[in-house]
Amino acid sequence: MANGKWKSDSQGAKGVPKAVVYRLSLYLRELQRLIRGGDTMASSGKLGKLLGLTDAQVRKDLAIFGQFGHPGVGYRCEDLVGAIKGILGTDREWTVAMIGAGNLGRALLGYRGFASQGFRVAAVFDADPAKIGQSLEGLVVEDVERLSEVVREREISLGLIAAPAEAAQEAATRLAAAGVVGILNFAPVTLHSLPVEVSQVSVDLATELEQLSFAVANRPETR
Amino acid sequence: MANGKWKSDSQGAKGVPKAVVYRLSLYLRELQRLIRGGDTMASSGKLGKLLGLTDAQVRKDLAIFGQFGHPGVGYRCEDLVGAIKGILGTDREWTVAMIGAGNLGRALLGYRGFASQGFRVAAVFDADPAKIGQSLEGLVVEDVERLSEVVREREISLGLIAAPAEAAQEAATRLAAAGVVGILNFAPVTLHSLPVEVSQVSVDLATELEQLSFAVANRPETR
DNA sequence: CATTGTGAAGGGCTTCACAGCT
DNA sequence: AGCTGTGAAGCCCTTCACAATG
């Protein structure tokens, strides 16, 4: 029986495998797609097949957080979406700042997928005087010197770094100092000296291509 | 003593943890930065500290592929860069096709980080007649209908999908049919029915933000 | 003598298999 | 009958600790 909240014997916070959290996002995405397609129930076997996972894996992942399924029938899609959003923390709106109004920053600003999952970009910053003052997707590009001020004014809680590698560390330091609680870093550098209370996730596009290159170079057997 | 090639008792292909391959990319990035900074040697402890890993982890990762270090002194940066590139398969140039000339596709085209790691974009495709024929970063946007033809002509081996979710599966199917060996997918969908010989890596930007949201919502202890 | 490479120990994640619920 | 939730087994990855080494 779905109970909508954390597992009753909850121990508060950690202990959740990173891989599980990642798959939670996949379940959420797939369930939303099934709902758009008119489905109302989904079994662990069905979800697993759609994502290339075993049914047991799907059930174990969900069981970490509570009992969301109904023996004999499966999971109610709407309920499970609600539960997963609650777990991921996307059942509320997050206010985000974009640092960097270059190619990547502008592209990410235009990406509708963020807004649809509850992430609202409320400010864009850049250090280039030629870009400051420009209007992008309804936002005026602000001077990165004003970051701290604007972050507080607009109650921004997450920072998204789409700046060049050389500028990324300073952007991160500024964000942390301004009180942001999380940083998503697209720059190809490791960020240092951030306070422990600032969470961090990194995506390096070149690294992803390298993973692909390795997979291709080492695939099972081909000419 | 560095030997430059695969571990002698090589079993050919798999058996390498995904996490190890990911860290290899991080080692490579950090080593290249150290070299730019003038360093010539790096120990496992130093590399580990720079990346937030233990020294043992660094050594174990590298030991999977051979003996690259020198007891008492560490690893020669240049040699290790060469070795890792060989392992990742980026010691050669990969020819890449971009599918989708929207915001994201254009941003990725302009990203210098790809070229610097050996990935050369040799074609851009889109299905929108308004975009076909436009010139971007020295390339003319081609009709996605001509994908197969162009992929063969230009000997393209990897495909990068930056198309909307609805178009991604068809793009992937076309790429596979055209003989591409790897696909990097930025669309928020799971790709199905690809031949096993086509490797696949996915990056979903909304998913990454959700990982951050979870990390923030579940961090150790904060007000 | 600082640092590597590695067997052994430890911990964590996945798969299996089945009791129990609808 | 169909499917969930879960203990137990199995496997994989990380950490530890130290002999080997230039």
Side-chain angles (χ1 to χ4, degrees):
Chain A
M1 229 145 246
N3 67 30
K5 251 315 164 198
W6 218 248
K7 197 164 193 171
S8 34
D9 62 85
S10 80
Q11 13 73 298
K14 290 299 303 312
V16 181
K18 206 154 86 61
V20 171
V21 182
Y22 183 81
R23 288 193 296 268
L24 245 29
S25 280
L26 300 185
Y27 301 150
L28 177 58
R29 192 176 78 184
E30 204 61 44
L31 285 163
Q32 291 174 324
R33 206 181 57 81
L34 288 171
I35 290 172
R36 278 199 303 279
D39 284 24
T40 133
M41 303 295 295
S43 68
S44 59
K46 179 176 187 175
L47 264 179
K49 195 165 292 178
L50 286 169
L51 292 167
L53 306 168
T54 67
D55 54 336
Q57 174 103 80
V58 175
R59 291 197 299 278
K60 259 273 149 75
D61 284 350
L62 297 174
I64 293 176
F65 303 99
Q67 325 235 112
F68 305 113
H70 304 271
V73 288
Y75 302 84
R76 289 203 57 242
C77 297
E78 296 278 12
D79 290 354
L80 193 50
V81 163
I84 295 177
K85 282 189 174 181
I87 295 163
L88 291 176
T90 57
D91 52 351
R92 69 184 196 73
E93 184 181 84
W94 290 90
T95 311
V96 180
M98 174 81 61
I99 322 299
N103 280 323
L104 186 57
R106 288 199 303 271
L108 296 175
L109 273 184
Y111 184 54
R112 320 278 328 290
F114 288 154
S116 80
Q117 296 304 317
F119 299 94
R120 184 172 62 84
V121 181
V124 195
F125 298 92
D126 206 293
D128 179 356
K131 295 204 183 99
I132 295 166
Q134 277 185 14
S135 192
L136 291 176
E137 302 280 335
L139 292 169
V140 175
V141 178
E142 308 281 349
D143 189 332
V144 73
E145 294 290 338
R146 301 216 317 130
L147 191 146
S148 196
E149 189 184 337
V150 175
V151 162
R152 280 184 244 268
E153 276 172 17
R154 305 187 192 171
E155 296 182 321
I156 286 166
S157 47
L158 302 179
L160 215 156
I161 300 179
E166 314 79 60
Q169 177 64 57
E170 195 194 332
T173 304
R174 280 182 197 268
L175 283 166
V180 149
V181 291
I183 293 177
L184 176 51
N185 176 32
F186 284 94
V189 293
T190 305
L191 301 177
H192 294 285
S193 323
L194 295 183
V196 284
E197 68 269 21
V198 176
S199 304
Q200 199 196 317
V201 169
S202 287
V203 179
D204 181 342
L205 303 175
T207 292
E208 302 298 339
L209 267 177
E210 285 163 358
Q211 304 306 295
L212 183 60
S213 166
F214 177 87
V216 168
N218 296 80
R219 81 213 122 123
E221 263 318 303
T222 322
R223 165 213 56 299
Chain B
M1 228 148 245
N3 67 29
K5 251 315 164 199
W6 216 248
K7 197 164 193 171
S8 36
D9 62 86
S10 79
Q11 12 75 298
K14 290 298 303 313
V16 182
K18 205 153 85 61
V20 171
V21 183
Y22 183 80
R23 288 192 296 267
L24 245 31
S25 279
L26 300 185
Y27 301 150
L28 177 58
R29 193 177 77 183
E30 204 63 40
L31 285 164
Q32 290 174 325
R33 206 181 58 82
L34 287 171
I35 290 172
R36 278 198 303 278
D39 284 24
T40 133
M41 303 295 296
S43 68
S44 58
K46 181 177 187 175
L47 265 178
K49 195 166 293 179
L50 285 169
L51 293 166
L53 306 168
T54 66
D55 54 333
Q57 175 103 80
V58 175
R59 291 197 300 277
K60 259 272 148 71
D61 284 351
L62 297 175
I64 293 177
F65 304 99
Q67 327 234 113
F68 305 113
H70 305 271
V73 288
Y75 302 84
R76 289 203 53 242
C77 296
E78 296 277 11
D79 290 355
L80 193 48
V81 162
I84 295 178
K85 282 188 174 179
I87 296 163
L88 291 176
T90 57
D91 52 351
R92 68 183 196 74
E93 185 181 84
W94 291 90
T95 312
V96 180
M98 173 81 60
I99 322 299
N103 281 323
L104 186 58
R106 289 199 303 271
L108 296 175
L109 274 185
Y111 185 53
R112 321 274 331 289
F114 288 154
S116 79
Q117 296 304 317
F119 300 95
R120 185 172 60 85
V121 181
V124 196
F125 299 92
D126 205 295
D128 179 357
K131 296 206 183 95
I132 296 165
Q134 279 183 14
S135 191
L136 293 175
E137 303 279 335
L139 292 169
V140 175
V141 178
E142 307 281 349
D143 189 333
V144 74
E145 294 291 336
R146 301 215 317 130
L147 190 145
S148 197
E149 189 183 336
V150 175
V151 162
R152 281 184 244 268
E153 276 172 15
R154 305 188 191 172
E155 297 181 321
I156 286 167
S157 47
L158 302 178
L160 215 156
I161 299 179
E166 314 79 61
Q169 177 63 58
E170 196 194 334
T173 305
R174 280 183 198 268
L175 283 166
V180 148
V181 291
I183 293 176
L184 176 51
N185 175 34
F186 284 95
V189 292
T190 306
L191 301 177
H192 295 285
S193 323
L194 295 183
V196 284
E197 68 269 21
V198 176
S199 303
Q200 198 196 317
V201 169
S202 287
V203 180
D204 180 342
L205 304 175
T207 292
E208 302 297 338
L209 268 176
E210 286 163 357
Q211 304 306 296
L212 183 61
S213 165
F214 178 86
V216 168
N218 297 80
R219 81 212 122 123
E221 263 318 303
T222 321
R223 164 208 51 300

